[in-house]
Amino acid sequence: MTGSTVRLPAYQLLADELRADITSGRLQPGERLPPEPELCVKTGVSRSTVREALRLLASQHLIVTTRGVTGGSFVSHPDAEQLADGLAAGFTLLRNSADVGLADMLELRRSLEIPAAELAAARRTDDHLIEIRSALFDPAVDDFDTMLAAHAAFHMAVAKATGNPLFELMVRPLYHASFGENVTGALPPDYWTHIDADHRELLDALTAGDPIDAARAASRHLDYISTATRDEEVSLQYGG
């Protein structure tokens, strides 16, 4: 019918209302949502509708539901890894569209990873350095999948070392999204050797606590990736 609108199901409307309360801050992390019977009375919907709305919010990592005498549904505390899952789907859709290419993704990496390296050098702890060092790989021994997983872990660990969860939130989707399924170009033979050397150079700057050298190392790293993949249709997942 022309001009008609599709009415959202009742559980979706309730979930949207509760989500707005959470994202606006009216409901704070750790705060308990009204009990199911109270939500039924307040909204005029059935118990099953309330439960479906709560299940939807739980699947989006916005609430956590526990059982028992002290149980109930509570607003989740923000977690960068969980929140990044939602962003990763959007990154993947955009990367697979005709509007976003490797150059665009490298541009985004440059805007995030260079300042992240600088902050990480100033703020990293010994535990951060251990985590970053554990993400190094050996291009002479490790297979492709191992190096791929290691390079993702390395950059996410550097983002974590900034002490700013927003960097971690934005960097994670770059390495969780599925960018490497349609590769048509071949990487240079020494590509992973160069990536390994870049990672170790950045780690040295982080260990020394030198923000300027760390930013320069991150910049040179991305310069190399841009040059190595400029004439090839290579996925960002292969980008080091």
Side-chain angles (χ1 to χ4, degrees):
M1 183 184 300
T2 303
S4 64
T5 58
V6 177
R7 180 173 173 79
L8 293 174
Y11 79 87
Q12 179 73 68
L13 293 172
L14 177 56
D16 289 347
E17 181 180 336
L18 292 171
R19 185 185 300 105
D21 287 341
I22 294 170
T23 57
S24 68
R26 288 190 292 271
L27 287 171
Q28 291 291 311
E31 188 173 346
R32 183 175 181 171
L33 273 63
E36 291 180 5
E38 185 177 329
L39 285 173
C40 291
V41 173
K42 179 181 177 180
T43 60
V45 299
S46 67
R47 191 81 171 254
S48 62
T49 296
V50 169
R51 288 178 175 173
E52 189 63 28
L54 296 178
R55 276 195 291 268
L56 177 58
L57 294 175
S59 72
Q60 297 169 344
H61 308 298
L62 292 173
I63 66 171
V64 175
T65 300
T66 60
R67 303 298 177 189
V69 178
T70 60
S73 294
F74 300 84
V75 179
S76 299
H77 290 274
D79 180 274
E81 185 170 0
Q82 290 181 339
L83 293 173
D85 290 343
L87 290 177
F91 272 73
T92 300
L93 288 173
L94 285 172
R95 180 65 182 92
N96 291 334
S97 74
D99 299 326
V100 176
L102 177 59
D104 299 304
M105 300 306 295
L106 287 173
E107 188 174 85
L108 177 58
R109 283 188 60 179
R110 186 175 294 277
S111 69
L112 290 171
E113 293 180 14
I114 295 174
E118 187 173 2
L119 287 172
R123 299 175 178 174
R124 93 293 181 279
T125 66
D126 289 343
D127 286 342
H128 288 139
L129 291 176
I130 291 171
E131 184 175 0
I132 295 168
R133 190 173 292 109
S134 70
L136 295 174
F137 58 84
D138 184 347
V141 176
D142 293 327
D143 60 22
F144 176 80
D145 289 338
T146 299
M147 292 188 293
L148 199 60
H151 101 258
F154 180 91
H155 287 289
M156 288 189 287
V158 172
K160 183 177 178 180
T162 66
N164 183 338
L166 294 177
F167 273 100
E168 190 177 0
L169 173 63
M170 296 305 297
V171 167
R172 278 184 175 276
L174 290 172
Y175 297 98
H176 280 183
S178 299
F179 295 141
E181 295 177 357
N182 298 305
V183 177
T184 60
L187 291 164
D190 62 346
Y191 182 80
W192 285 108
T193 299
H194 201 128
I195 295 302
D196 172 57
D198 283 353
H199 285 188
R200 293 176 187 276
E201 180 183 7
L202 177 53
L203 176 58
D204 286 344
L206 297 177
T207 302
D210 190 326
I212 295 176
D213 275 358
R216 287 173 177 167
S219 181
R220 286 193 293 268
H221 178 56
L222 291 167
D223 286 344
Y224 171 73
I225 295 168
S226 179
T227 300
T229 61
R230 183 173 296 150
D231 299 324
E232 306 288 355
E233 189 177 337
V234 180
S235 144
L236 179 67
Q237 192 178 28
Y238 291 71

